[in-house]
Every structure is written in C-alpha cells, then in structure tokens.
Amino acid sequence: METVLLYILGVAVVVVGLALSIGLHEIGHLVPAKLFGVKVTQYMIGFGPTLWSKRKGETEYGVKAIPLGGYISMIGMFPPAKDGAAARPNSTGFFNQLVQEGEPAKKTGALGTMADDARQASADTIGEGEDHRAFYRLPVFKRVIIMLGGPTMNLLIAVVLFGVLLMGFGTTQASTTVGSVSACVLPATSDRQTCADGDEAAPGAAAGLKPGDRLVSIDGTTITSWDQSTAIIRESSGTPLQVVVERDGAEQTLVITPKLTERYVTDADGNVVTDADGTQQTTEVGFVGIGPAGELVQQPITAVLPAVGENISGVFHMILNLPQRLIDVANAAFGPGERDPNGPISVVGVGRVAGEIASIDTIPIQSKVASMIGLLASLNIALFVFNLVPLMPLDGGHVAGALWEGIRRWFAKLFKRRDPGPVDTAKLMPLTFAVVIVLGGMSLLLIYADIVKPVNLFG
C-alpha cells in the first residue's frame, strides 16, 4: 500500500509541476502582451471544458479539464483581409487558434478557404474601437517579445531547477567507497555476465573486500579518487598490493594481487573505443573486480549553464530525428521490440517515470527529490525547444511570421517600395491545421506506447 501511495505521489508531483510550468509559460506571454496594450480576453491552463474561471478586468482566468497545455487569447492575432474586415481574436494555444470558444459553429470549408472562414467567424468578436489593441498592429519586435515570452519562461524555470539540482543536491560521481565486488574473473569479451562453477575468484573477493569498504591507501599512496585507484590497479598486474580500507569505522589492511585480464579500452568520457571497422578495442590490464559506489557531489554555479546547454542540444537532436524516433516507438508499441530509454515519451510516460522513482525503496529520499527536480527541469527544456519550432500554431511559427514581415518591410524601405503591410498569417491556416493533426497523432502514439510498452529505466 505504501508503494502505491508513493507512486501516486510521484505522479502528482509531475502533474503539479507541469501545470505550474504551463501556467508560467502563459504568463510569459500574458505580461508583455498587457504591457504592450494588447487586449487579452482569456488566460487558461488546459483545454476542453472549463472547470473554474474568474474574470478580472477584461481577462478571464481559468483552468480547463485536459491539462495538456494552455493558452492566452489575444485579439488581432491575424491581420484583417485586404477589404478591411475586422481583426481576428486568437490565442497562443494549439487548438484555440483554430476555433475560439463561444464562436458559432461553422461548416468546414476546403483547405483553400480556411483563412476566409477563420476571418469571417471571428469578425464579430472584436469590440468597437479596439482595433488599435490588436496583436498584429504591434511593431515586429514587440510581437517577437510576446511570443518568445512563453519559451523564455520555461528556459528560466529550467535554469533555476538545474541550479537547485546541481548546486543544492549535486551530481552522482564515483566515490572512493566500494559499491560492488565481482565474484569471479570474466574477460570483457565473455559471452557470460554471471559466474559459473569453476570460474577463478576475483582478486578483490578472494582478499575479502566488501561493498561499503572505503579505500584509504594502496601501497602507501593515499587514495583521493576512484580513478586514482583504478590507474594503480591496472598497472600492477601480478604485484601484491597493500590495500588499506576503512570498514565500520576501523582501518584494515588487505593484500590484493591484481590479475592480468582483458578489458575494453575507454576514452575520457568512459565510452568504449572502436577501430575503423567498428570493432571494440580491448587491452590486458590489472583487474581486481570492484566497482565504485556513487555519491552526490555539489557543483559550482559555473556548471549550471553548461548542463542546460547540454539538455537543449539533446532535445534539439531528438526533434531533428523525430520521424525515425516515432517509427521506432511504433515498432516497439505494436511489435516485440523494447522502447529506447532515450527516445521520446508522452506526459503519461513522464508520470510513470516519476511514480517509479518515488516508489523505489532502495534509494534515499534525497536522491528521489533530486531525480524529480531533474525530471521537471528536463521537461521545461523540452517545452522551451519544442515551442521554438518555426511552425504554427507553435510560438516559433508566430515568431517566424513576424520576422518575415520585418524582412519584407526592411527590403521595401531599402528599395523605396510601397510598404507591403503585415504578413497574412491566416493563409497558413491549412498548414496550421495539418500541424495540429500531426501533433495530435504523435501524442496519441506516444501515450499508447507509454501505456502498453513503457520505457524501462530501472530494469
């Protein structure tokens, strides 16, 4: 029962964290929009039926039933038609850019008439004398600021969370404490991963090393890092070593003779080095058969931004390879294969991971909290990068439209031509509709995969 409650708690933490991240994202749009005089009619967290709302001034603030996003509704997101039709009220949300809540239902026209239908459907929703407060009336740089406000808020949240994670909790690093002791000696290229009868005992186990022993010195050399002990052992095959360990508060001296055995060659990052033909390189070095225990080491403030940058790069490359990643997810979901632990997951998958972290009873509470913070930080990085994709209805699509307008007007001014006016982004409604369909299909696939074939991170 306790495990179930902890699982639910982990899921709840992610749900609340995601809701706060979405709410702050939309505040990133709301604040500059109001500062620049744009009329904002709604600020909503979620989609679907409204669970709660309250009007303050000209803006309705509320929460909706489906917590898969949020939006603010600004009037005049699209410029009017050239015949002088009224501006269209719109929002920063995915679906609310297609159909505004409260608008009369209209028959769906062909793709070529979607822009006209959208303008006509919203023409009557603009109040008299409010055209000057329309979003499209703003200078290009103000529109860019408003649309980048949301992703920027997610980036700031991620920076703060990574700061708390790295400087407050730290990162897991190898300590000088023994975490595991191998029972036997197996070469790196062995087909077996477990010991069998007749296998030679590993030198560490034979000498009496135990998990929890802290390495104090090796042959008179004080050990300050695990890499230092590894270097000494690798160079001392066949040589008896006097190893001093601390066990239960008292020091003990053990004599260990490293055995010459085959190990993989690794680079500075711990990755196995391969030949030109892809064969993994091996070498013969001294081997004792011990592994380090991890410990949290607090990091300096200078480690925060590189960590954020590394996460941004990882999400960016995932998006670039998203088609293939989704194919892999589909093959795993509908076939016998396993999910890639580094592949995309839905909010359902994130919730499952959080629940599993919270319910594992073999890790300390400090590590659980750190993992939750890291999960929410990574989630905000994903929101930041994903929203910058230059396709409507994402924020990046509106930024791209505004920048294109600025470029057109700059060239017109440079060559002394007539001002081309605002870019008619309503013409992109067919593309916007297609993007929404793709995003919806992607979400359904990931949610289904996270239910029937979830990512296995913990074995």
Side-chain angles (χ1 to χ4, degrees), residues 6 169 172 293-296 356-372:
L6 288 174
F169 292 88
T172 302
E295 64 178 354
L296 291 174
E356 291 178 8
I357 291 173
S359 60
I360 294 176
D361 57 7
T362 57
I363 60 176
I365 184 65
Q366 183 183 18
S367 297
K368 292 183 180 182
V369 175
S371 297
M372 290 293 184

Side-chain angles (χ1 to χ4, degrees), residues 49-169:
T50 300
L51 300 179
W52 171 88
S53 70
K54 181 178 181 180
R55 179 169 296 279
K56 185 176 181 181
E58 62 188 15
T59 306
E60 179 189 9
Y61 300 85
V63 177
K64 290 181 174 287
I66 306 174
L68 295 180
Y71 64 93
I72 67 169
S73 292
M74 296 181 288
I75 69 169
M77 185 72 78
F78 293 157
K82 290 184 179 181
D83 60 3
R88 180 189 183 209
N90 215 314
S91 75
T92 60
F94 284 2
F95 303 104
N96 289 74
Q97 293 186 24
L98 298 178
V99 180
Q100 297 296 310
E101 183 175 344
E103 289 180 354
K106 289 188 177 291
K107 295 182 179 180
T108 303
L111 293 180
T113 63
M114 288 184 70
D116 292 335
D117 290 343
R119 296 191 194 98
Q120 183 61 42
S122 60
D124 296 335
T125 62
I126 303 298
E128 184 177 353
E130 293 179 341
D131 190 63
H132 67 286
R133 301 186 63 189
F135 174 80
Y136 83 93
R137 293 275 188 186
L138 293 176
V140 168
F141 80 93
K142 289 187 178 181
R143 276 179 277 162
V144 170
I145 289 174
I146 291 174
M147 299 315 300
L148 289 183
T152 301
M153 187 65 78
N154 290 125
L155 178 61
L156 293 176
I157 294 171
V159 170
V160 171
L161 291 177
F162 272 116
V164 173
L165 176 64
L166 297 177
M167 295 189 295
F169 292 88

